[in-house]
Amino acid sequence: MSRPDAGPDGYMFAVTRLNDFSRSLTHALLVLVVCTVVGFPLFWMVASSFKPASEFYSTVPTFFPQVWTLANYRLLFEQTSFAKYFVNSLIVAFGATGLSLVIGGLGAYALSRFQFRIVRVFSQLTLLGYMLPEVLIVIPLYMYVIELGLADTLFALIVSNMAFTLPLTLWYMRAYFNAIPVTLEESAMVEGCTRLQAFRRVVIPLALPGLVSTGVFAFNHAWNEFLFALVFTSSERNKVLTLGLATWIGQDAIFSWGMLLSAAVLVTIPVVLFYFLVQKQLVVGLTAGATKGE
């Protein structure tokens, strides 16, 4: 009996295994490089937040703190209004995300189920609105904010962020609603449900992954938004994290690298936790959204 590695068949098998190993090694190296490029700044930020002030100006930089300390976090809450900024950002982010999902979900359902020419034109216009950068719409929005008496309020930030993310919500959710058969709603209405009840009991549970994935993008935008906060708010009590941290730079009485990096770590934690909590639904929603047509 001949050995399996003898002859032409054995040679081709060995070459195939070698090629598979080379591809796997190449992919592993690429993943390692990408993770290093992406993860090293995060590692440096977290590690440096525990360094004392003297180590930031050391001639020889260190990867890990030589002396671990929580002084930067303590001074962050004692000497700044970080806690207030943090609460304001949570209010704005969750408020804008909630309004965007409620209004965008209802609007996307209407765009999906009612096929009129004016509806199609409206859907195209909403996409055009999303393509405009924030810097082009901030002045018109500011004029409306002044006219409505909403200057220097968190509600102005909630509405402006919601207005900017609403077109994205409309188009994402419209794709999910298009993939849900209308017959399911019709069956529910035959059983005695109104259209709103059928929407709430049948459509929303089926579109939940889409709502989660859309909500993640809306939350991330509102949490990191800076321009609207800079223009619409001016008082210390209504500042959000992005604006508050930016104002520290250049203020010698407040600014220190340790406090800034500590604040950056705390700013990153809610986003990371939010992604971990909705990770399963997010993956399902993005995968489903990639295969759903108009």
Side-chain angles (χ1 to χ4, degrees):
M1 181 180 295
S2 61
R3 294 188 307 169
D5 58 347
D9 293 340
Y11 174 77
M12 293 302 298
F13 176 77
V15 170
T16 302
R17 293 294 298 271
L18 182 61
N19 290 337
D20 292 340
F21 176 77
S22 299
R23 282 195 295 267
S24 300
L25 182 61
T26 302
H27 293 164
L29 290 176
L30 288 175
V31 170
L32 179 62
V33 170
V34 171
C35 291
T36 302
V37 172
V38 175
F40 181 76
L42 296 176
F43 160 77
W44 185 269
M45 176 181 69
V46 174
S48 298
S49 68
F50 295 99
K51 293 180 179 179
S54 59
E55 289 193 36
F56 285 98
Y57 304 100
S58 176
T59 304
V60 180
T62 56
F63 286 97
F64 295 96
Q66 295 179 346
V67 178
W68 293 79
T69 178
L70 293 174
N72 295 320
Y73 292 92
R74 178 175 55 80
L75 294 175
L76 177 66
F77 287 95
E78 290 179 355
Q79 299 183 5
T80 70
S81 302
F82 179 84
K84 183 63 177 177
Y85 301 159
F86 194 90
V87 173
N88 289 343
S89 289
L90 286 177
I91 294 173
V92 171
F94 280 109
T97 302
L99 282 177
S100 182
L101 291 179
V102 172
I103 299 176
L106 292 173
Y109 179 76
L111 293 177
S112 173
R113 293 299 186 257
F114 303 105
Q115 302 297 328
F116 299 106
R117 180 177 178 82
I118 189 172
V119 172
R120 291 194 296 270
V121 172
F122 175 77
S123 63
Q124 298 294 331
L125 290 176
T126 57
L127 183 61
L128 178 64
Y130 182 73
M131 295 172 63
L132 296 175
E134 290 184 356
V135 69
L136 291 182
I137 64 175
V138 65
I139 299 302
L141 281 177
Y142 181 70
M143 295 175 63
Y144 282 114
V145 167
I146 295 298
E147 290 293 331
L148 296 174
L150 298 177
D152 194 25
T153 62
L154 295 180
F155 185 71
L157 296 181
I158 292 174
V159 173
S160 58
N161 281 288
M162 182 272 297
F164 191 79
T165 58
L166 187 59
L168 179 68
T169 305
L170 286 171
W171 275 83
Y172 269 31
M173 293 310 303
R174 182 189 179 192
Y176 287 102
F177 291 146
N178 284 342
I180 298 175
V182 183
T183 54
L184 296 178
E185 301 165 59
E186 294 175 345
S187 299
M189 288 188 284
V190 168
E191 295 296 328
C193 291
T194 63
R195 177 174 288 275
L196 184 60
Q197 289 174 333
F199 173 73
R200 180 170 59 85
R201 297 178 181 178
V202 177
V203 178
I204 290 298
L206 294 176
L208 184 59
L211 286 171
V212 171
S213 58
T214 306
V216 167
F217 287 110
F219 180 88
N220 193 51
H221 173 270
W223 183 260
N224 295 311
E225 201 283 322
F226 173 77
L227 184 60
F228 292 152
L230 177 64
V231 175
F232 297 160
T233 59
S234 57
S235 64
E236 186 73 13
R237 70 176 185 278
N238 289 323
K239 284 183 179 179
V240 294
L241 284 170
T242 51
L243 181 60
L245 269 61
T247 57
W248 293 352
I249 300 176
Q251 298 184 22
D252 295 334
I254 299 177
F255 176 77
S256 72
W257 286 112
M259 290 172 58
L260 187 62
L261 290 173
S262 301
V265 171
L266 296 178
V267 169
T268 307
I269 288 177
V271 179
V272 175
L273 289 178
F274 191 57
Y275 272 95
F276 272 114
L277 290 175
V278 301
Q279 182 181 14
K280 182 177 179 181
Q281 294 292 339
L282 177 62
V283 172
V284 173
L286 293 177
T287 305
T291 60
K292 289 178 168 64
E294 288 294 317

